[in-house]
Amino acid sequence: MKFQHMFKKTVTKPVKSGDSDRPEVPDGLLKKCNACKAAVFVEEVRNNYYICPHCCNYFRVHARRRVEMIADQNSFQEWDSDVVSDNPLQFRGYEEKVKVLQEKTKLNEAVLTGKAAINGIPVVLGICDGRFLMASMGEAVGEKITRAVERATEERLPVILYACSGGARMQEGIVSLMQMAKTSAALKRHSDAGLLYISVLTDPTTGGVTASFAMLGDIILAEPNALIGFAGPRVIEQTIGQKLPKGFQRSEFLLEHGFIDGIVEREQQREVLGKVLKMHQKKTVNTLPHEKCRELLDQAFQPEKPLQEMSAWEHVQLARDKERPTGSDYIQYLFTDFVEMHGDRYYGDDRAVIGGIAFFQGQPVTVIVQEKGHGTKENIAHNFGMVSPEGYRKSLRLMKQAEKFGRPVICFVDTPGAFCGLEAEERGQGEAIARNLYELSALKVPILSVVIGEGGSGGALALAVADEVWMMEHSIYSILSPEGFASILWKDSKKAKEAAKVMKLTAADLKSLGIVEQVIREEEFLTKENLVETAEKLELGIQAFLSEYQSMSGEALAQHKYERFRKM
């Protein structure tokens, strides 16, 4: 055990007396960090959310300690403490081992379940404890989780499950395997009831737990550097005969590859969970009379003078201007408490699409933007707003989640077009866009799409199958870029200026064609710095839109979307 972090270095004369003269550290005062090997005070670690004060390594947390960290004080009520392990295979020594662990951990099984409150919001908790057979899932663990989820469904409560497990419990064989299906079936019923399930993955989450309840959350969060995977690293290395790369199967790896929504530091988890739970509380929607909605829209968008007379090509140049606000700027001005969600759950997290949940005037909404970024570094990171298949699949996942919870969807469109690289075709770009069009056309919640810059081809339409589509005055929306149009029809991309005029791609053109419902006037050429006045008008318009469309039933909204495009 290294003590270099614990005491100041001093010069002393060697002590020649025996070991009995050496001072002893009281039992339980110190422990060794399994990452940096330094000695740490147990009390300091406990007060620091069980995080090493030197290397920030996360120690595993006992189930009851975890409850204390995330739940309101004295709110936890344990359920099903009498459910204990059986020995279905009559495995030798298994029952004795379980009894020893019960005495040591003061738990009857590897998961603690019950009801609690977080910021006053009631929730069902299930927390795995790695001290008990590495929180492997046997019949008792599966039964306790299933009962907790069933009761949550009956009482219409959200569920939060903290996974920490080595997977299925070998001593129970095929009976353990069946718990994967049992817990998943219970969660399906909970989901079908329109209820929220948050899964939090901690170190380690592997095997049958990963392949069942751990990866089925509406929202999946993880702690930093947690080992998460189906097959363990050692098994994979033995199977393929290769050394795995650094960081493989860690939570950061899963975030990059689209399998989790976010990584949350331990000290922030109570706050984040409380915010997400609040966003899923049932709220009364304050709707306004139709006449009042129209009045608000007129105040927001009717120009005092005609829209500015400019050539189509000038509009194109302004829509592409590097100083123009991007989607993330609109999020900052219009919404509060934005919680970003990552990943398509299949392959990756496309940074050309930013999506998540936020409050709009106190009401939860789903917000999705196509993001170009500011400056070369951000442009490259966001692929200049050109969306890949995983970006469209992420946006669809978030929209379907919004439908489940009855949240309106606000989209901001700004893309030169869908990414057309080799890898995009390999991962099904056409299918991803088609699936968005197919599903959004019948989504049973209000969808508003606002074209804020470029609206290029199917890449833009995939986020613009909406109840209404609005355009900023100097935005464009077209079948493809003017350069591409000129290349295809006239074999000369240099005729882009002439193509822009022919294509009828300006906001005024599209309003007259009945393609968009509203045009938002730009009193001056928009930048991030002068967006506030325009954002205020847009906020008024969104208020009117939500008030009008949230008074409609889900079936009526789906029919409205169909009829909107049917007449085009």
Side-chain angles (χ1 to χ4, degrees):
M1 185 181 292
K2 298 178 182 179
F3 287 87
Q4 68 266 32
H5 296 291
M6 306 302 300
F7 309 107
K8 291 183 178 179
K9 191 172 183 181
T10 58
V11 178
T12 59
K13 293 182 179 181
V15 178
K16 297 182 179 180
S17 56
D19 292 342
S20 60
D21 294 327
R22 295 178 183 172
E24 293 185 1
V25 177
D27 290 340
L29 179 63
L30 293 173
K31 70 180 298 181
K32 183 170 68 173
C33 175
N34 57 316
C36 69
K37 310 303 180 185
V40 292
F41 286 109
V42 172
E43 188 63 25
E44 184 180 3
V45 170
R46 185 180 290 120
N47 294 334
N48 193 39
Y49 295 92
Y50 293 83
I51 302 171
C52 176
H54 308 302
C55 70
C56 297
N57 172 57
Y58 275 41
F59 295 103
R60 290 171 190 165
V61 181
H62 301 174
R64 295 193 188 279
R65 298 285 189 196
R66 181 79 73 174
V67 171
E68 293 174 1
M69 289 163 58
I70 64 171
D72 295 350
Q73 189 173 9
N74 300 322
S75 68
F76 182 70
Q77 304 168 25
E78 185 175 357
W79 289 348
D80 302 311
S81 60
D82 58 334
V83 176
V84 295
S85 296
D86 199 356
N87 192 1
L89 303 186
Q90 299 303 306
F91 195 89
R92 184 181 300 175
Y94 179 46
E95 294 175 15
E96 292 76 11
K97 190 170 188 177
V98 167
K99 288 179 181 178
V100 170
L101 288 169
Q102 288 173 338
E103 293 177 2
K104 181 179 179 180
T105 64
K106 302 296 187 280
L107 294 171
N108 286 336
E109 248 304 334
V111 67
L112 181 69
T113 60
K115 183 178 179 180
I118 299 178
N119 293 342
I121 300 173
V123 62
V124 171
L125 291 179
I127 300 176
C128 295
D129 195 314
R131 296 174 299 162
F132 202 111
L133 287 173
M134 203 46 247
S136 54
M137 183 165 63
E139 183 180 9
V141 170
E143 182 65 19
K144 289 187 72 172
I145 290 174
T146 300
R147 287 190 188 186
V149 173
E150 288 174 343
R151 192 164 169 181
T153 306
E154 292 171 7
E155 299 184 20
R156 300 201 60 78
L157 294 174
V159 171
I160 299 176
L161 296 181
Y162 269 80
C164 170
S165 179
R169 189 168 296 181
M170 296 298 101
Q171 294 92 332
E172 296 187 24
I174 193 70
V175 176
S176 174
L177 187 70
M178 294 302 106
Q179 306 312 306
M180 295 167 60
K182 184 165 77 175
T183 54
S184 300
L187 286 166
K188 178 67 167 73
R189 291 191 170 199
H190 184 264
S191 179
D192 289 346
L195 300 170
L196 173 67
Y197 166 39
I198 304 174
S199 177
V200 185
L201 313 181
T202 71
D203 183 60
T205 300
T206 60
V209 168
T210 301
S212 57
F213 70 84
M215 298 303 292
L216 294 176
D218 295 298
I219 298 170
I220 303 177
L221 306 175
E223 291 191 331
N225 201 41
L227 175 65
I228 304 165
F230 178 58
R234 184 174 56 188
V235 174
I236 297 175
E237 287 181 341
Q238 291 174 348
T239 301
I240 66 175
Q242 298 177 17
K243 190 73 175 175
L244 295 175
K246 185 178 180 180
F248 181 74
Q249 289 188 314
R250 295 291 169 176
S251 47
E252 293 77 10
F253 175 89
L254 269 74
L255 181 66
E256 179 184 349
H257 286 80
F259 295 111
I260 61 177
D261 284 291
I263 297 172
V264 184
E265 300 282 348
R266 191 171 281 170
E267 59 268 36
Q268 297 174 344
Q269 287 173 19
R270 173 178 162 82
E271 178 186 352
V272 171
L273 291 172
K275 185 186 294 185
V276 172
L277 289 170
K278 184 179 179 182
M279 288 177 172
H280 289 82
Q281 292 283 283
K282 292 294 182 182
K283 292 185 178 292
T284 302
V285 178
N286 296 319
T287 57
L288 302 171
H290 178 78
E291 296 76 15
K292 182 63 176 177
C293 292
R294 290 296 104 185
E295 181 184 332
L296 286 175
L297 287 172
D298 289 345
Q299 292 176 18
F301 301 139
Q302 287 299 320
E304 296 178 0
K305 53 185 178 180
L307 295 176
Q308 300 177 43
E309 289 294 333
M310 300 178 66
S311 71
W313 184 245
E314 287 176 311
H315 282 288
V316 171
Q317 291 176 308
L318 286 173
R320 294 172 174 176
D321 192 279
K322 294 180 180 179
E323 298 301 316
R324 195 168 182 82
T326 65
S328 58
D329 297 322
Y330 285 87
I331 292 177
Q332 179 182 344
Y333 276 96
L334 292 168
F335 306 97
T336 59
D337 295 320
F338 179 67
V339 178
E340 185 176 0
M341 304 296 171
H342 295 269
D344 64 351
R345 295 286 199 273
Y346 293 104
Y347 177 82
D349 180 47
D350 184 2
R351 293 188 64 190
V353 172
I354 296 175
I357 316 169
F359 284 115
F360 175 80
Q361 297 183 345
Q363 177 184 349
V365 295
T366 290
V367 185
I368 300 171
V369 306
Q370 292 173 323
E371 176 66 22
K372 290 180 175 179
H374 292 288
T376 303
K377 186 175 180 180
E378 287 189 14
N379 292 158
I380 294 171
H382 295 285
N383 200 29
F384 297 87
M386 295 184 290
V387 183
S388 296
E390 46 272 23
Y392 292 115
R393 290 175 179 134
K394 174 168 68 172
S395 66
L396 179 58
R397 178 176 76 85
L398 295 178
M399 291 193 209
K400 294 297 288 184
Q401 185 186 98
E403 182 179 50
K404 172 182 174 180
F405 296 111
R407 280 195 301 269
V409 178
I410 314 294
C411 298
F412 293 88
V413 176
D414 188 12
T415 179
F419 182 55
C420 57
L422 173 64
E423 56 269 44
E425 293 298 322
E426 290 176 336
R427 299 197 294 272
Q429 184 70 289
E431 189 279 337
I433 293 173
R435 184 63 53 183
N436 271 36
L437 308 183
Y438 178 84
E439 296 287 353
L440 268 58
S441 68
L443 212 68
K444 296 180 179 179
V445 290
I447 306 177
L448 171 65
S449 291
V450 185
V451 183
I452 59 174
E454 291 183 273
S457 191
L461 182 61
L463 261 68
V465 179
D467 293 285
E468 289 193 14
V469 177
W470 302 347
M471 290 182 68
M472 305 303 294
E473 180 181 356
H474 297 310
S475 64
I476 59 172
Y477 192 11
S478 60
I479 190 170
L480 80 170
S481 69
E483 293 86 351
F485 187 96
S487 294
I488 291 174
L489 291 185
W490 303 326
K491 313 301 182 188
D492 185 0
S493 63
K494 294 180 180 179
K495 294 184 177 181
K497 185 181 295 187
E498 291 87 339
K501 183 177 181 180
V502 171
M503 293 170 72
K504 302 292 183 184
L505 45 63
T506 70
D509 289 333
L510 293 164
K511 180 75 160 43
S512 65
L513 288 171
I515 303 298
V516 302
E517 280 75 15
Q518 299 287 351
V519 177
I520 302 122
R521 183 177 181 82
E522 299 180 33
E523 300 299 337
E524 53 185 330
F525 303 146
L526 280 184
T527 66
K528 184 177 180 179
E529 286 69 31
N530 65 20
L531 179 59
V532 59
E533 184 178 342
T534 302
E536 287 173 354
K537 292 194 296 183
L538 191 53
E539 181 178 10
L540 196 63
I542 294 174
Q543 179 189 359
F545 171 87
L546 293 179
S547 183
E548 179 169 351
Y549 282 90
Q550 284 187 284
S551 64
M552 300 169 63
S553 68
E555 290 72 21
L557 285 165
Q559 184 65 24
H560 179 270
K561 293 179 183 69
Y562 181 79
E563 291 176 355
R564 180 180 183 275
F565 285 92
R566 182 64 181 83
K567 66 184 180 182
M568 291 183 184

